[in-house]
Amino acid sequence: MKKDTCHMASDESVSWGNHKIEWSNDLLLHMEQEDGDHREMFVLMNRIFSAAQIGADMVTQAVADLCLFTREHFLREQHGMERAGYPDREAHRYDHEYLIFQLDVLIDRLMLSGPECVAEELVDLLKRWLCDHILTYDQAFAAYLHERGQKVA
């Protein structure tokens, strides 16, 4: 896997080399539930890379765990957007659905071809997830809540 970086708002970066994704405080939304979920996603993502050293079955399980947790996280986030009356919730929800669709496609390919055949696509998906989704969609939702003095339950 080649070394790649995801540039953050403060010009720090998340490293994709050495099969590990490092947490950056640039990803903090200052929302307890959201930040906790995002950190857990990092743990689950890194478990995928660790599992690659063990075998295809472990990678498949690690990806399935990430997908399940992600679905739960997205549902919590979408309920929070509804409760808050967030005006951009439909675009945010659509991006969630697109990310889940991409994960499902990767899982199907993983089952057919094995982890080595989807490794680069998985890294690209996780990079998009972190660089695009958290730093745009989630940051915008957090800013909306903070401006109004609201929080997600």
Side-chain angles (χ1 to χ4, degrees):
M1 210 170 291
K2 65 183 179 185
K3 178 134 175 102
D4 199 359
T5 59
C6 167
H7 295 287
M8 300 297 155
S10 70
D11 292 329
E12 293 181 22
S13 65
V14 171
S15 172
W16 298 89
N18 303 322
H19 306 288
K20 185 165 178 157
I21 303 170
E22 298 290 338
W23 172 262
S24 168
N25 284 338
D26 289 335
L27 296 171
L28 284 173
L29 301 174
H30 304 288
M31 297 165 50
E32 188 175 339
Q33 178 71 51
E34 298 288 317
D35 290 334
D37 281 1
H38 291 161
R39 282 189 175 110
E40 179 64 19
M41 287 177 181
F42 268 73
V43 169
L44 293 168
M45 290 174 192
N46 282 320
R47 192 172 296 154
I48 293 168
F49 297 121
S50 297
Q53 308 301 319
I54 300 169
D57 289 342
M58 295 303 291
V59 171
T60 301
Q61 183 60 53
V63 171
D65 291 345
L66 174 63
C67 195
L68 177 64
F69 185 82
T70 299
R71 288 175 195 274
E72 293 168 357
H73 166 71
F74 285 171
L75 283 174
R76 278 192 297 274
E77 194 171 82
Q78 288 166 199
H79 285 126
M81 289 187 288
E82 284 292 323
R83 281 191 305 276
Y86 182 53
D88 294 328
R89 64 185 172 268
E90 285 306 310
H92 197 138
R93 184 187 55 77
Y94 176 81
D95 200 56
H96 286 170
E97 290 173 5
Y98 183 65
L99 289 168
I100 290 295
F101 170 77
Q102 289 181 306
L103 264 178
D104 288 344
V105 167
L106 274 175
I107 289 171
D108 289 346
R109 291 196 55 232
L110 177 71
M111 299 300 282
L112 292 172
S113 306
E116 60 283 342
C117 294
V118 298
E120 289 299 319
E121 288 177 77
L122 182 59
V123 169
D124 289 344
L125 173 60
L126 300 182
K127 180 178 179 180
R128 173 181 145 33
W129 199 334
L130 296 174
C131 291
D132 292 346
H133 187 79
I134 294 174
L135 290 173
T136 57
Y137 288 94
D138 289 348
Q139 287 282 352
F141 178 47
Y144 173 83
L145 292 177
H146 291 303
E147 286 170 5
R148 285 153 184 77
Q150 299 174 331
K151 15 190 252 191
V152 175

